[in-house]
Amino acid sequence: MSDEQPLDPLARPHAPRPSPLAPTFMHAALDQARQAMAVGEVPVGAVIEHEGRIIAAAHNSRESLHDPTAHAEMIAITQAAGELGDWRLEDCTLYVTLEPCAMCAGAIVLARIPRVVYGAADPKAGAVASLYQLLADRRLNHQAEVTGGVLSRECGEILTEFFRRQREAGKK
């Protein structure tokens, strides 16, 4: 009988130090979030980096596409797979302004994205750190390194401003 303890399937891996380029890529994701806000979408932006260059950039488009799955991450993953000609995004990093939800975390697992960097935490729907830790769950066939809090103030402020304007306009 082994003295080794079984792995905790919910244990979080050690958070890696963000790349020195993380703020540069997060600024590109913020640009996408600003574009979303300009067209009345919840301002979340995402970019996917591969070998030092952005291969996909997207923002939330749920309202304009009438599609509940049109989150920035989902659209960016589809774009990146098309750009690389492969559904496996194994050498990529996803940068997103808001912590991914359960749907997007599932897509990250399925796309085999090894690194995720997010800006603002999402205490109501975050599925990589706040509510769930899906990207660290060893019961799944893929895990990703997660770094949160990159440009968190800026990422949070754009969301706060958007929802303040929505309330003032009497919208949901």
Side-chain angles (χ1 to χ4, degrees):
M1 184 163 204
S2 172
D3 290 335
E4 289 182 31
Q5 294 292 330
L7 286 176
D8 178 354
L10 301 177
R12 290 186 188 180
H14 174 69
R17 297 184 77 204
S19 158
L21 294 176
T24 301
F25 292 119
M26 190 60 76
H27 277 295
L30 271 166
D31 288 343
Q32 289 293 315
R34 288 184 195 96
Q35 289 178 37
M37 191 154 99
V39 296
E41 296 281 355
V42 174
V44 176
V47 298
I48 296 180
E49 172 268 329
H50 178 258
E51 296 179 350
R53 70 181 182 90
I54 293 172
I55 61 166
H59 59 74
N60 274 8
S61 297
R62 291 179 356 164
E63 300 297 330
S64 59
L65 295 177
H66 310 290
D67 180 355
T69 69
H71 288 198
E73 301 96 309
M74 301 292 285
I75 297 168
I77 288 169
T78 299
Q79 289 175 354
E83 176 70 19
L84 295 178
D86 194 346
W87 61 267
R88 293 172 194 88
L89 303 180
E90 295 172 325
D91 295 318
C92 296
T93 301
L94 169 68
Y95 293 84
V96 61
T97 58
L98 182 65
E99 178 184 355
C101 69
M103 174 185 66
C104 294
I108 291 162
V109 168
L110 293 172
R112 312 292 196 269
I113 297 173
R115 288 170 303 285
V116 175
V117 179
Y118 69 88
D122 187 350
K124 293 183 179 180
V128 301
S130 296
L131 294 179
Y132 306 102
Q133 295 82 44
L134 292 178
L135 300 184
D137 192 326
R138 296 195 182 280
R139 295 172 296 184
L140 299 173
N141 65 338
H142 174 76
Q143 292 79 45
E145 294 177 354
V146 176
T147 302
V150 175
L151 301 181
S152 61
R153 184 182 55 79
E154 296 93 326
C155 293
E157 284 175 351
I158 192 170
L159 287 159
T160 300
E161 176 64 16
F162 175 80
F163 287 113
R164 182 189 63 75
R165 290 181 188 176
Q166 292 288 81
R167 284 188 301 276
E168 287 175 357
K171 297 180 180 176
K172 293 181 182 180

